[in-house]
Amino acid sequence: MARTNGTILEARLLSLRFGAIAALRDVSIQIGAGKIHALIGPNGAGKSSLLNCLSGFYVPWKGSVIFEGRDISALRPNLRAQAGIARTFQGIQTYPGMTARENILTGFHGRMTGGVFAALFRWPAAIRQEEAFTARAEEIIDFLELEEHRHTMVGEMPYGLRKRVDLGRALALEPKILVMDEPMAGMSPEEKAILARYILDIRDNFEIPVVLVEHDMEVVMDISDQVTVLEFGAVIADGTPAQVRADPRVIAAYLGSTQSADAAAVEVSA
Ligand SMILES: Nc1ncnc2c1ncn2[C@@H]1O[C@H](COP(=O)(O)OP(=O)(O)OP(=O)(O)O)[C@@H](O)[C@H]1O
Ligand SMILES: [Mg+2]
């Protein structure tokens, strides 16, 4: 592995535009190995856009993405997933007509080697791989405590449970980093507490760093090692939860200071 100085994933001076809108303006971020890194900021600040640039779904017009010391800017999303960057999306991404276990098994798709023919003709290598995936799916079901729900249709599950299955699908990739967009949106406080515990366990037991977008400040301050704050497509603060909470620009952004909003609006339209 190339030298990374403890950084596993990094964005360097990313800029992204949608017509007149500057979704990202020279955004740099460093995700530390073994860290929970939260991305916060008001609606439209560019949080999802940044995650999409990290996972390859959006292509910035400027800047680069470095993963384990390697420039992956030119890699398509499926290749970034294969390299170990797993992603969950805003809202629900599970298949409602499939069971929890089947949904988790779909997560292995990106890791199948040997192709369709090997699977179709049940070549020994394909069978071995299928067995390994099935065993791993069971580990994930255990870890996420989904045992009693493994044969339940996901469409019949409450929201919090469905998001847990979605997380299981992402873990099936055996990722080196997990990127989650608002995994707790729409959850009850109890569901949030459960998911927060799994995220901490993913960091501590699997040693997988997690980047997550989250609006609930209490959760962010509780579980994050590092917090980056975006506003109008730019990073306005970056540090530990305590540092970020005390930052005057963050306080202004969250209290909706008209001064900073006006200044950013002028810059965007310029
Ligand atoms: N596919 C797209 N096409 C056009 N504009 C887009 C697209 N994706 C994002 N944008 C715009 O880019 C800006 C940043 O959006 P983004 O979704 O990254 O914000 P966000 O911080 O994730 O917001 P939220 O908290 O509401 O999810 C917004 O002005 C948004 O309208
Ligand atoms: Mg978003």
Side-chain angles (χ1 to χ4, degrees), residues 18 21 23 41-50 58 90 181-182 215:
F18 293 106
I21 296 167
N43 291 122
K47 305 178 296 295
S48 297
S49 296
L50 176 54
Y58 287 174
Q90 232 168 318
D181 199 351
E182 299 199 29
H215 283 289

Side-chain angles (χ1 to χ4, degrees), residues 15-29:
S15 291
L16 175 74
R17 298 192 72 92
F18 293 106
I21 296 167
L24 296 175
R25 294 180 289 145
D26 289 332
V27 169
S28 294
I29 185 172

Side-chain angles (χ1 to χ4, degrees), residues 64 97 101 146 160 212 238 255:
S64 51
R101 184 173 174 279
L146 288 166
L212 84 160
D238 184 70
L255 294 178

